[in-house]
Amino acid sequence: MTAVRPETTAQRVSDTAFPPGFVWGAATAAYQVEGAAAADGRTPSIWDTFSHTPGKVLNGDTGDIAADHYHRYRDDVALMKDLGLKSYRFSVSWSRVQPTGRGPAVQRGLDFYRRLTDELLGAGITPVATLYHWDLPQELEDSGGWPQRDTAYRFAEYADIMGRALGDRVGVWTTLNEPWCSAFLGYGSGVHAPGRTDPAAALRAAHHLNLGHGLAVGALRSVLPNSAQISLTLNLHQVNPLTDAPADVEAARRIDAVGNRVFTGPVLDGDYPEDLRADTAHIVDWGELVHDGDLAEISRPIDVLGVNYYSPTVVSQGDKSADNARNDGHGASEHSPWPGAEDVSFHLANDRVTAMNWSIEPQGLYRLLTDLAASHPELPLMVTENGAAFDDYISPEGVVNDPQRIAYLHGHLDAVRRAIADGADVRGYFLWSLMDNFEWSYGYSKRFGTIYVDYSTQRRIPKASSGWYADVIKRNALPDSED
Ligand code: BG6
């Protein structure tokens, strides 16, 4: 029998409420929503090349048209306003504003982001701009891509261009989104663009992404007003050993090193961890890779850390099962995206899964946030992505009911609220995603949006979760469970 806990109204409110000023947002990324792939001087990025390569993306889908946000941004901002969003996190397509990745910017490309941000500001929505969400100009990949040191300097130049162009209207900036994916899926397992499968290139890419981040922070600081907030968004893996056996604990350490501390080490703590260097010493020469002065650039202070969380990571040692790739959640490949930890096995945390086959475990988000708060108490945090794909469809009545997404969001927002109550300085939450979009190697087969996109007509239909989220935003609180 369940005991009834006596509660006062005040306790009940604080059991559901978020702090005043909590930032409620939703996120997208350029290649996933914009379309207009060849409009106004834009040239191919590595994702255009990759998606047009047969066999790389499910059903041969590409981002050529996507959700046509490039042309429909006004309507989309109106939908955001209906939702009551306080903030919109979008990314800039590098090859739209600087087609070759070098030299002067293209005015027409910059103008799109000026129009978008003006529209947002006019609707009372704070723009949050991410400079890099995986879409390197193809020309820079042709010159060596992220494994090549020069790419970091090109990225800083692009950051300078964007800071000058939008610094008067964008106050919150993110350098990179999920550099783990850029480095290890792009150059390690090859399931993401540019599709290379070379562990040394993946580690070199990780270092140059870190360096590019640090140089871009410097470039942005020198052109933005002091009030600007600069961040980096990481998809930190919330790693758990399958058992307490020393071998599983060791597997978790390795995955934590090459999944998390390869970024948090240099960015937040000023150096690459010794254990990571040792695990990967047979793959890359760290002494040659990391130049004098790099770590000082990379560890420039940031104002906030962006955290993307979808599902926890459960690992064990040995037993290289056939399910490895599937269960690490990052797509099937014969090539591991985990240099130095290739023989680690991955497991589902439980069998309550989303359409991505990712376990639903809100407590993982609570742990991630409270662990970060414990290790870096002075660093404000922002959940820059959280959400889930389900097999949404339009009912005969013309509506899209997504109760599983509502349950997912409720559980994870409650985890954020509990983390805040336990002392984590979490400033906001961005739902992934505002609308259905191009889910990378899964193409349009996976729907993460709180707004449904009918790709044949580009009609937008807010799903039931939209109304639920709008209500949460309005109250600045979760509904009581009996609501
Ligand atoms: C985002 C992508 O940044 O990360 C999403 O743009 C995607 O489309 C998500 O679903 C995946 O995150 P992760 O942590 O599984 O790589």
Side-chain angles (χ1 to χ4, degrees), residues 94 101 140 146 148-159 208 211-212 215-216 291-292 294 297:
W94 186 348
L140 291 185
W146 285 110
Q148 179 70 36
R149 187 175 170 88
D150 184 59
T151 303
Y153 292 90
R154 302 283 66 76
F155 181 64
E157 187 182 288
Y158 157 61
H208 297 141
L211 180 60
L215 294 168
H291 293 197
D292 284 351
D294 284 4
E297 286 292 350

Side-chain angles (χ1 to χ4, degrees), residues 21 28 61 71 82 85 96 112 121 171 186 190 218 226 263 291 316 321 432 450 469:
T28 64
D61 290 343
H71 296 114
D82 290 347
L85 285 193
R96 195 182 286 294
F112 167 67
L121 293 168
N226 286 341
F263 300 106
H291 293 197
S316 66
S321 77
W432 183 270
T450 190
Y469 192 47

Side-chain angles (χ1 to χ4, degrees), residues 167-468:
D168 58 345
R169 56 197 89 192
V170 176
V172 189
W173 294 79
T174 300
T175 54
L176 306 171
N177 175 74
E178 301 194 356
W180 186 85
C181 296
S182 302
F184 297 101
L185 303 181
Y187 295 92
S189 67
V191 300
H192 278 190
R196 287 206 244 162
T197 54
D198 172 356
L203 288 164
R204 296 179 67 81
H207 176 60
H208 297 141
L209 282 153
N210 282 331
L211 180 60
H213 155 76
L215 294 168
V217 172
L220 289 173
R221 292 251 188 255
S222 65
V223 296
L224 294 177
N226 286 341
S227 57
Q229 298 265 304
I230 303 180
S231 67
L232 164 72
T233 278
L234 299 175
N235 57 325
L236 293 173
H237 299 80
Q238 204 271 314
V239 189
N240 305 274
L242 183 65
T243 73
D244 291 341
D248 291 352
V249 173
E250 165 66 6
R253 181 199 62 71
R254 282 180 181 248
I255 294 302
D256 179 48
V258 75
N260 299 329
R261 290 180 289 117
V262 64
F263 300 106
T264 56
V267 173
L268 303 180
D269 304 325
D271 204 351
Y272 288 99
E274 271 313 313
D275 61 331
L276 170 74
R277 290 180 186 245
D279 290 347
T280 55
H282 59 294
I283 302 172
V284 85
D285 177 351
W286 287 92
E288 175 266 331
L289 181 59
V290 182
H291 293 197
D292 284 351
D294 284 4
L295 292 166
E297 286 292 350
I298 296 171
S299 60
R300 283 172 182 272
I302 52 175
D303 302 304
V304 54
L305 180 70
V307 175
N308 291 358
Y309 172 85
Y310 292 87
S311 186
T313 302
V314 179
V315 298
S316 66
Q317 188 59 39
D319 170 36
K320 192 170 180 179
S321 77
D323 272 353
N324 253 14
R326 189 172 65 84
N327 285 342
D328 85 358
H330 298 294
S333 167
E334 296 159 28
H335 302 273
S336 172
W338 306 100
E342 296 84 353
D343 55 349
V344 169
S345 294
F346 292 81
H347 308 266
L348 291 176
N350 59 56
D351 54 12
R352 297 184 303 278
V353 294
T354 70
M356 298 296 286
N357 200 40
W358 295 346
S359 290
I360 302 173
E361 187 50 75
Q363 189 64 6
L365 179 54
Y366 171 86
R367 289 212 190 98
L368 195 52
L369 295 171
T370 50
D371 286 355
L372 278 166
S375 60
H376 298 88
E378 303 305 321
L379 183 64
L381 305 172
M382 186 80 100
V383 177
T384 39
E385 284 180 28
N386 174 244
F390 291 107
D391 295 326
D392 305 316
Y393 59 91
I394 308 175
S395 76
E397 296 75 37
V399 298
V400 182
N401 282 317
D402 56 346
Q404 292 170 294
R405 183 170 292 100
I406 293 174
Y408 181 99
L409 296 174
H410 198 147
H412 287 77
L413 278 168
D414 189 54
V416 174
R417 189 198 57 74
R418 287 187 289 112
I420 295 170
D422 290 346
D425 182 6
V426 187
R427 302 282 172 92
Y429 174 94
F430 289 76
L431 189 160
W432 183 270
S433 176
L434 175 71
M435 56 187 158
D436 294 337
N437 58 49
F438 176 81
E439 179 55 28
W440 308 111
S441 58
Y442 297 88
Y444 297 101
S445 69
K446 303 294 179 198
R447 294 181 176 273
F448 274 90
T450 190
I451 296 173
Y452 186 94
V453 176
D454 178 345
Y455 294 109
S456 61
T457 59
Q458 292 295 349
R459 190 157 70 101
R460 274 70 164 142
I461 304 171
K463 303 178 190 176
S465 60
S466 269
W468 182 88

